[in-house]
Coordinates of all heavy atoms in Angstrom, one line a residue:
P1 N 134.0 51.7 153.6 CA 134.5 52.9 154.2 C 136.0 53.0 154.2 O 136.7 52.0 154.3 CB 133.9 52.8 155.6 CG 132.9 51.7 155.6 CD 133.3 50.8 154.5
K2 N 136.5 54.2 154.2 CA 138.0 54.4 154.3 C 138.4 54.0 155.7 O 137.9 54.5 156.7 CB 138.4 55.8 154.0 CG 139.9 56.0 153.9 CD 140.3 57.4 153.4 CE 141.8 57.5 153.3 NZ 142.2 58.8 152.8
P3 N 139.3 53.0 155.8 CA 139.7 52.5 157.1 C 140.6 53.5 157.9 O 141.3 54.3 157.3 CB 140.4 51.2 156.8 CG 141.0 51.4 155.4 CD 140.0 52.3 154.7
N4 N 140.6 53.3 159.2 CA 141.6 54.0 160.0 C 143.0 53.4 159.8 O 144.0 54.1 160.0 CB 141.2 53.9 161.5 CG 140.0 54.7 161.8 OD1 139.7 55.7 161.1 ND2 139.2 54.2 162.7
A5 N 143.0 52.1 159.6 CA 144.3 51.3 159.5 C 144.0 50.0 158.8 O 142.8 49.6 158.7 CB 145.0 51.1 160.8
I6 N 145.1 49.3 158.4 CA 144.9 48.0 157.7 C 145.8 47.0 158.4 O 147.0 47.4 158.7 CB 145.4 48.1 156.2 CG1 144.4 49.1 155.4 CG2 145.4 46.8 155.6 CD1 144.9 49.4 154.0
L7 N 145.3 45.9 158.7 CA 146.1 44.7 159.1 C 146.1 43.7 158.0 O 145.0 43.2 157.6 CB 145.6 44.2 160.4 CG 146.4 43.1 161.1 CD1 146.1 43.0 162.6 CD2 146.1 41.7 160.5
C8 N 147.2 43.3 157.5 CA 147.3 42.4 156.4 C 148.0 41.1 156.8 O 149.1 41.1 157.4 CB 148.0 43.0 155.2 SG 148.1 41.9 153.8
V9 N 147.4 40.0 156.5 CA 148.0 38.6 156.7 C 148.4 38.1 155.3 O 147.5 37.8 154.5 CB 147.1 37.6 157.4 CG1 147.8 36.3 157.6 CG2 146.6 38.2 158.7
S10 N 149.7 38.1 155.0 CA 150.2 37.8 153.7 C 150.8 36.4 153.7 O 151.5 36.0 154.6 CB 151.3 38.8 153.3 OG 152.0 38.4 152.2
A11 N 150.6 35.7 152.5 CA 151.2 34.4 152.3 C 152.8 34.5 152.4 O 153.4 33.5 152.6 CB 150.8 33.9 150.9
H12 N 153.3 35.7 152.2 CA 154.8 35.8 152.1 C 155.5 36.2 153.3 O 156.7 36.5 153.2 CB 155.1 36.8 150.9 CG 154.6 36.2 149.6 ND1 155.3 35.3 148.9 CD2 153.4 36.5 148.9 CE1 154.6 35.0 147.8 NE2 153.4 35.7 147.8
W13 N 154.9 36.1 154.5 CA 155.6 36.3 155.7 C 155.3 35.1 156.7 O 154.4 35.1 157.4 CB 155.3 37.6 156.4 CG 156.2 37.9 157.5 CD1 157.5 37.5 157.7 CD2 155.9 38.8 158.6 NE1 158.0 38.0 158.8 CE2 157.1 38.9 159.4 CE3 154.8 39.6 159.0 CZ2 157.2 39.6 160.6 CZ3 154.9 40.3 160.2 CH2 156.0 40.4 161.0
E14 N 156.2 34.1 156.6 CA 156.1 32.9 157.4 C 157.2 32.9 158.5 O 158.3 33.2 158.2 CB 156.2 31.6 156.6 CG 155.1 31.4 155.6 CD 155.3 30.1 154.9 OE1 156.0 30.0 153.9 OE2 154.7 29.1 155.3
T15 N 156.8 32.6 159.7 CA 157.7 32.7 160.8 C 157.4 31.5 161.8 O 156.4 30.9 161.7 CB 157.5 34.0 161.6 OG1 156.2 34.1 162.0 CG2 157.9 35.2 160.8
K16 N 158.4 31.3 162.7 CA 158.1 30.4 163.8 C 157.6 31.2 164.9 O 158.3 32.1 165.5 CB 159.4 29.7 164.2 CG 159.3 28.7 165.3 CD 158.4 27.5 164.9 CE 158.5 26.3 165.9 NZ 158.0 26.6 167.2
G17 N 156.4 31.1 165.2 CA 155.7 32.0 166.2 C 154.9 33.1 165.4 O 155.0 33.1 164.1
T18 N 154.2 33.9 166.1 CA 153.4 35.0 165.4 C 154.0 36.3 165.8 O 154.3 36.6 166.9 CB 152.0 34.9 165.9 OG1 151.4 33.6 165.6 CG2 151.1 35.9 165.3
F19 N 154.1 37.2 164.7 CA 154.7 38.5 164.9 C 153.8 39.5 164.2 O 153.1 39.2 163.2 CB 156.1 38.6 164.3 CG 157.1 37.7 165.0 CD1 157.2 36.3 164.7 CD2 157.9 38.2 166.0 CE1 158.1 35.5 165.3 CE2 158.8 37.4 166.7 CZ 158.9 36.1 166.4
V20 N 153.8 40.8 164.6 CA 153.2 41.9 163.9 C 154.3 42.9 163.8 O 155.1 43.2 164.6 CB 152.0 42.4 164.7 CG1 150.8 41.5 164.6 CG2 152.3 42.8 166.1
T21 N 154.2 43.6 162.6 CA 155.2 44.7 162.4 C 154.8 45.9 163.2 O 153.6 46.3 163.3 CB 155.2 45.1 160.9 OG1 153.8 45.4 160.5 CG2 155.7 44.0 160.0
A22 N 155.8 46.5 163.9 CA 155.5 47.5 164.8 C 156.3 48.8 164.6 O 156.4 49.6 165.5 CB 155.7 47.0 166.3
M23 N 156.9 48.9 163.4 CA 157.7 50.1 163.1 C 156.8 51.3 162.6 O 155.7 51.0 162.1 CB 158.8 49.8 162.1 CG 158.3 49.5 160.7 SD 157.6 47.8 160.5 CE 159.0 46.8 160.6
E24 N 157.3 52.5 162.7 CA 156.5 53.6 162.3 C 156.5 53.8 160.7 O 155.5 54.2 160.2 CB 157.1 54.9 162.9 CG 156.9 55.0 164.4 CD 157.7 56.2 165.0 OE1 158.1 57.1 164.2 OE2 157.9 56.2 166.2
N25 N 157.6 53.3 160.1 CA 157.7 53.5 158.6 C 158.2 52.2 158.0 O 159.4 52.0 157.8 CB 158.7 54.6 158.3 CG 158.1 56.0 158.8 OD1 157.2 56.5 158.2 ND2 158.8 56.5 159.8
P26 N 157.3 51.2 157.7 CA 157.7 50.0 157.2 C 158.3 50.1 155.7 O 157.8 50.9 154.9 CB 156.4 49.1 157.1 CG 155.3 50.1 157.2 CD 155.8 51.3 157.9
K27 N 159.3 49.4 155.5 CA 159.9 49.4 154.1 C 159.1 48.6 153.2 O 158.4 47.7 153.5 CB 161.4 48.9 154.2 CG 161.5 47.5 154.6 CD 162.9 47.1 154.8 CE 163.0 45.6 155.4 NZ 164.4 45.2 155.7
T28 N 159.3 48.9 151.9 CA 158.7 48.2 150.8 C 159.6 47.0 150.4 O 160.7 47.3 150.0 CB 158.4 49.0 149.6 OG1 157.6 50.1 149.9 CG2 157.7 48.2 148.5
I29 N 159.2 45.8 150.7 CA 160.1 44.6 150.4 C 159.8 44.1 149.0 O 158.7 43.8 148.7 CB 159.8 43.5 151.5 CG1 160.0 44.1 152.9 CG2 160.7 42.3 151.2 CD1 159.6 43.1 154.0
H30 N 160.9 43.9 148.3 CA 160.8 43.3 146.9 C 161.3 41.9 147.0 O 162.4 41.5 146.7 CB 161.6 44.1 145.9 CG 161.1 45.5 145.8 ND1 161.6 46.6 146.6 CD2 160.2 46.1 145.0 CE1 160.9 47.7 146.3 NE2 160.1 47.4 145.3
D31 N 160.4 41.0 147.5 CA 160.7 39.6 147.9 C 160.4 38.7 146.7 O 159.6 37.8 146.8 CB 160.0 39.2 149.1 CG 158.5 39.5 149.1 OD1 158.0 40.4 148.4 OD2 157.7 38.8 149.8
F32 N 161.1 39.0 145.6 CA 160.9 38.1 144.4 C 162.1 38.4 143.5 O 162.9 39.3 143.7 CB 159.6 38.5 143.7 CG 159.3 40.0 143.6 CD1 160.1 40.8 142.8 CD2 158.3 40.6 144.4 CE1 159.8 42.2 142.8 CE2 158.1 41.9 144.3 CZ 158.8 42.8 143.5
G33 N 162.2 37.6 142.4 CA 163.3 37.8 141.4 C 162.8 37.5 140.0 O 161.7 36.9 139.8
G34 N 163.6 38.0 139.1 CA 163.3 37.7 137.7 C 162.3 38.6 137.0 O 161.8 38.3 135.9
F35 N 161.9 39.7 137.7 CA 160.9 40.6 137.1 C 161.6 41.9 136.6 O 162.7 42.2 136.9 CB 159.9 40.9 138.2 CG 159.0 39.8 138.5 CD1 159.3 38.9 139.6 CD2 157.9 39.5 137.8 CE1 158.5 37.9 139.9 CE2 157.1 38.4 138.1 CZ 157.4 37.6 139.1
P36 N 160.9 42.7 135.8 CA 161.4 43.9 135.3 C 161.9 44.9 136.4 O 161.3 45.0 137.5 CB 160.3 44.5 134.4 CG 159.4 43.4 134.2 CD 159.5 42.5 135.4
Q37 N 162.8 45.7 136.1 CA 163.3 46.7 137.0 C 162.2 47.7 137.5 O 162.2 48.2 138.6 CB 164.5 47.5 136.4 CG 165.2 48.5 137.4 CD 165.6 47.8 138.7 OE1 166.2 46.7 138.6 NE2 165.4 48.5 139.8
E38 N 161.3 47.9 136.6 CA 160.2 48.8 136.9 C 159.4 48.3 138.1 O 158.9 49.1 139.0 CB 159.2 48.8 135.7 CG 158.0 49.7 135.9 CD 157.0 49.6 134.8 OE1 157.2 48.8 133.8 OE2 155.9 50.3 134.9
L39 N 159.3 47.0 138.3 CA 158.6 46.5 139.5 C 159.5 46.7 140.8 O 158.9 47.0 141.8 CB 158.3 45.0 139.3 CG 157.5 44.3 140.4 CD1 156.2 45.0 140.6 CD2 157.3 42.8 140.0
F40 N 160.8 46.5 140.6 CA 161.7 46.7 141.8 C 161.7 48.2 142.2 O 162.1 48.5 143.4 CB 163.1 46.2 141.5 CG 163.1 44.7 141.4 CD1 163.0 44.0 140.2 CD2 163.3 43.9 142.6 CE1 163.0 42.6 140.2 CE2 163.4 42.6 142.5 CZ 163.2 41.9 141.3
A41 N 161.4 49.1 141.3 CA 161.4 50.5 141.6 C 160.2 51.0 142.4 O 160.2 52.1 143.0 CB 161.5 51.3 140.3
V42 N 159.1 50.1 142.5 CA 157.9 50.5 143.1 C 158.1 50.7 144.6 O 158.7 49.8 145.3 CB 156.8 49.5 142.9 CG1 155.5 49.9 143.7 CG2 156.4 49.5 141.4
Q43 N 157.7 51.8 145.2 CA 157.7 52.0 146.6 C 156.2 52.2 147.1 O 155.5 52.9 146.4 CB 158.6 53.2 147.0 CG 160.0 53.0 146.8 CD 160.7 51.9 147.6 OE1 160.4 51.9 148.9 NE2 161.4 51.0 147.0

């Protein structure tokens, strides 16, 4: 079914303690290097 919302636990957000994102408009993070510009352009 189409969800009301999504909660994602990603390998790429490690912290001391537990956090949840609480902003209205989360940014698209390009947390990598060495890939084509086309990938960095994705939002």
